[in-house]
Every structure is written in structure tokens, then in C-alpha cells.
Amino acid sequence: MDDRSTNELARYLCVDRFLQNLVGATSLKTAFDLRVIDRLVGSDGVDHSALYESFEFDRQGFDMLLNLLTVNQVIESSGERIRLTEPFAHALQYRDLLQAKLDFAILVTPDLADLFTSLIANPAQFMEQSRVFRLFDYQRCLKLTPENYAATKRWMHFTSTLTRYESAFAMCLYDFSQHQRMLDVGGNSGEFLLQVCKQHAQLQGTVFDLPVVCVVGQEHLLQQPEADRITFMKGSAVDDALPRGFDSIVFKSMLHDWPESMTYRILSKAAQVLEPGGTLLIFERGPIHASELHRFPQVPMLLFFRAFRAPEIYQTQLSEMGMVDITVEWIDLEMPFFLLTAKKM
């Protein structure tokens, strides 16, 4: 992938500029919640008094919010007129991503504020007490109830939105046109398969994931023209056999959820059922290095720092399983990503 293509696809990363600190992010979320942003979208500016009169909260609160938005370069003033800054207006092209990142970051910020000592010194205790691991509670994905459905849909909205943008880089790094049938293990809402199917009309895909995830995923794809080429199969990658008949199997942001002993078990299952000559793909975030910590304005990814592994771990495991032609390519997004591919003889 050349630098020009990378820069073009990575334009969505401009949203991170407005998430650099907690006060800025919180004020922006409030501006969305109160529809202040919507009032300014598409206009050359709104008179300060007219803008204030559009809302029903006190003047001191209103002015404080505008001041915080100004400091965060979301809005600017020209005389008495208030307007969105040009960079923020550009970032609103990716509003779904911006708001998903905002909502998730603010949701789990208490984990950083209250449990950082546990995160560093007692990870087991952190996992037990943290909001982020309560949110990603896969036990709730096993049985369909109104509560489990709502909880699962909440975190799937965030992961699906990230995947919508990240999948483009996997397609730049790898030629999916050589495949006919793809299995996405832990494929979540089917968003990754959806994006690949949009670009490759010959491809049919199956998402293999937990029962409640499949229900939410089927609804997620309901209005998409490619939905008739994507099926969902309920099962556990840990406990159940994987289906056969696929010339490609993909793991997108899934293996980091499991310890190395379990990733070996999951990858071994995939290697066994993959069609001869087929390709196994792993698309994951790499480890967080000290030199990159300044690039992490958001809490969520930092909370998972122990989970992101170097690709060499998967290379070793796949080599032991007899996979060949193992390659790794890196792409630099808000943090390093790698695409690992391996072939079955």
C-alpha cells in the first residue's frame, strides 16, 4: 500500500483530534446530547443570542459549554456569530465513528480513574471490577434475553463502527478476489464480511459467533444488499467445531480476547477445517510500545494493553500446525495493525 492510499483511507483518524483529553471529550459529548452541534451543522454561523435562545438551560452553563468547545477547536467565533471550525466540520463526515468513540471512552473512563492501580498491579482484580470487562461479558451472549440483547448490542455498536473503517486497510493489504467462501470466526455483526462483500461480488461469507451476537448481527445487516451472501452460524470458537467448506478463514480483532493457550486451540481448529490451498488471515492490533503512548487519547485501547500481541506468537503457532507461506504486513492507524496470512498445503 502506498503512502497516498494510506493517507486517503486514514482520513477518518481526524476524529481523534477532538478526543485528546477528558474535558474536551466530555464537553463534545454534551454538545451532541444537547443538539448544539446539530444546530450549527450546515450553517455559516449562528448568532450567539439566537443560539442561546434555542436551548433551555442557563446562560452560565451555555457559555461554559461554548468556551470548552472553543478550547477544543470544535467551534469558533466571528463577532457575535458562532460556527463549527473547518477541521471539526470535516470530522463530522465520520460522525458515527466520532460518537461511538466518545460514548465508549466516557463509559469506561472510571476504570482508568478508579482502577488504574489494579490494571497495573493486579490484572485479575481489574478484570473482575472494571466496567469495560463487564461490558464485554461474553456469558451474556449465550442466552437471548432482553437484558442480554441490550448489553450485547451496546458493545457491538462500538466494535462494528471501528471495523467499518478498519476493514478497508485489510482489503488494501490483501487480495480477497481469489476467494469464494470466507468464514469469519468471532465475526461479530458481520461488518467485516459486509465490507469485503461490497468490494467482491463473488464472495459468500459466514459469521461464526455466539448466539446473541448472531441475533444482533443479522439485524445489523438486514437492510444491506449483500445480506443474502452472508449467513450467521451460532457457536463457540472455543468449545464447538468450526464449519467446513471455506477457502479462507479470518480472525478480525478476535484472538486478543484469549490467552495464548486458547489461541492455539482456536487456530488449530481453523487450520484443520480450512480447505487445502486456502488462506487463514489474522487482522489485529499490535502491542503498544512506549514510543507510541502519546498517540492514545482514548482510554479503551489502553485498558487492553496486555491483550495486544506481536504477530510472531501467531506465526509460531501456525508453523507448528503445518501452515506455510506465513507473511505479516503492518499498517499504521491510531495504533499499529498487522495482517498475517498463512496458507494450508
Side-chain angles (χ1 to χ4, degrees):
M1 181 189 298
D2 60 42
D3 290 341
R4 185 174 180 179
S5 298
T6 301
N7 292 336
E8 184 75 19
L9 289 173
R11 285 184 176 181
Y12 71 87
L13 294 175
C14 66
V15 303
D16 289 340
R17 169 178 177 174
F18 305 97
L19 308 174
Q20 294 294 313
N21 61 76
L22 180 59
V23 173
T26 303
S27 62
L28 179 54
K29 185 177 188 309
T30 295
F32 277 121
D33 291 345
L34 295 175
R35 304 187 68 81
V36 174
I37 300 299
D38 290 322
R39 183 71 175 81
L40 295 170
V41 169
S43 73
D44 293 329
V46 178
D47 183 78
H48 186 282
S49 296
L51 186 62
Y52 168 68
E53 291 169 4
S54 303
F55 304 101
E56 297 181 353
F57 55 100
D58 70 279
R59 187 61 178 255
Q60 285 182 305
F62 176 78
D63 287 341
M64 176 56 72
L65 180 60
L66 293 193
N67 289 336
L68 292 172
L69 294 173
T70 301
V71 170
N72 200 24
Q73 300 180 51
V74 172
I75 64 172
E76 60 187 5
S77 302
S78 177
E80 287 297 308
R81 296 187 70 77
I82 310 295
R83 61 174 175 259
L84 299 177
T85 65
E86 186 175 338
F88 186 76
H90 173 72
L92 276 181
Q93 297 178 72
Y94 315 103
R95 181 168 178 162
D96 58 340
L97 180 67
L98 176 57
Q99 291 193 264
K101 285 190 169 190
L102 269 175
D103 291 344
F104 191 41
I106 291 172
L107 174 70
V108 301
T109 292
D111 287 349
L112 188 70
D114 300 334
L115 299 173
F116 192 72
T117 300
S118 295
L119 174 66
I120 296 298
N122 193 338
Q125 184 182 67
F126 175 80
M127 290 182 67
E128 182 180 335
Q129 297 178 350
S130 70
R131 297 181 69 172
V132 70
F133 282 100
R134 285 201 301 273
L135 178 65
F136 289 91
D137 182 358
Y138 295 142
Q139 291 301 310
R140 286 191 145 190
C141 302
L142 300 176
K143 183 179 180 180
L144 184 61
T145 67
E147 295 77 17
N148 287 350
Y149 172 87
T152 301
K153 187 173 183 178
R154 189 177 192 184
W155 63 258
M156 284 179 64
H157 172 70
F158 175 67
T159 55
S160 298
T161 305
L162 288 182
T163 296
R164 186 172 305 131
Y165 291 93
E166 295 163 355
S167 57
F169 295 92
M171 285 186 278
C172 285
L173 293 172
Y174 184 77
D175 179 14
F176 287 89
S177 67
Q178 59 192 297
H179 298 297
Q180 301 294 318
R181 287 176 51 78
M182 175 172 287
L183 177 67
D184 191 348
V185 181
N188 206 267
S189 66
E191 183 66 35
F192 184 83
L193 278 178
L194 172 64
Q195 296 303 321
V196 177
C197 284
K198 282 179 180 290
Q199 298 298 319
H200 300 282
Q202 86 292 344
L203 191 69
Q204 293 186 333
T206 296
V207 173
F208 185 85
D209 216 319
L210 298 173
V212 181
V213 173
C214 288
V215 171
V216 177
Q218 288 170 320
E219 293 178 357
H220 177 73
L221 299 186
L222 203 55
Q223 303 302 319
Q224 299 293 334
E226 295 79 12
D228 61 352
R229 291 193 278 132
I230 301 172
T231 59
F232 287 79
M233 184 173 181
K234 299 174 182 177
S236 165
V238 174
D239 299 319
D240 300 323
L242 298 180
R244 294 180 176 271
F246 297 92
D247 61 8
S248 55
I249 298 178
V250 63
F251 295 87
K252 194 278 174 188
S253 300
M254 180 271 190
L255 292 173
H256 70 263
D257 283 340
W258 303 99
E260 287 181 37
S261 60
M262 203 64 75
T263 65
Y264 189 95
R265 179 176 175 179
I266 294 170
L267 289 173
S268 179
K269 289 183 179 185
Q272 290 173 16
V273 302
L274 181 64
E275 291 288 293
T279 301
L280 187 149
L281 303 96
I282 299 172
F283 190 44
E284 278 276 4
R285 286 173 172 80
I288 300 173
H289 298 295
S291 61
E292 298 161 350
L293 286 175
H294 68 283
R295 301 167 57 194
F296 289 86
Q298 290 194 74
V299 174
M301 296 309 169
L302 183 59
L303 297 179
F304 291 102
F305 77 91
R306 281 189 173 84
F308 301 129
R309 303 185 181 97
E312 288 79 9
I313 294 170
Y314 303 121
Q315 286 178 286
T316 299
Q317 292 182 342
L318 291 168
S319 292
E320 292 176 2
M321 298 168 198
M323 302 290 286
V324 298
D325 296 339
I326 302 174
T327 63
V328 175
E329 294 190 75
W330 288 90
I331 186 71
D332 200 30
L333 302 180
E334 89 285 356
M335 61 182 292
F337 265 79
F338 64 85
L339 179 70
L340 182 153
T341 62
K343 287 190 175 294
K344 181 173 180 178
M345 294 288 288

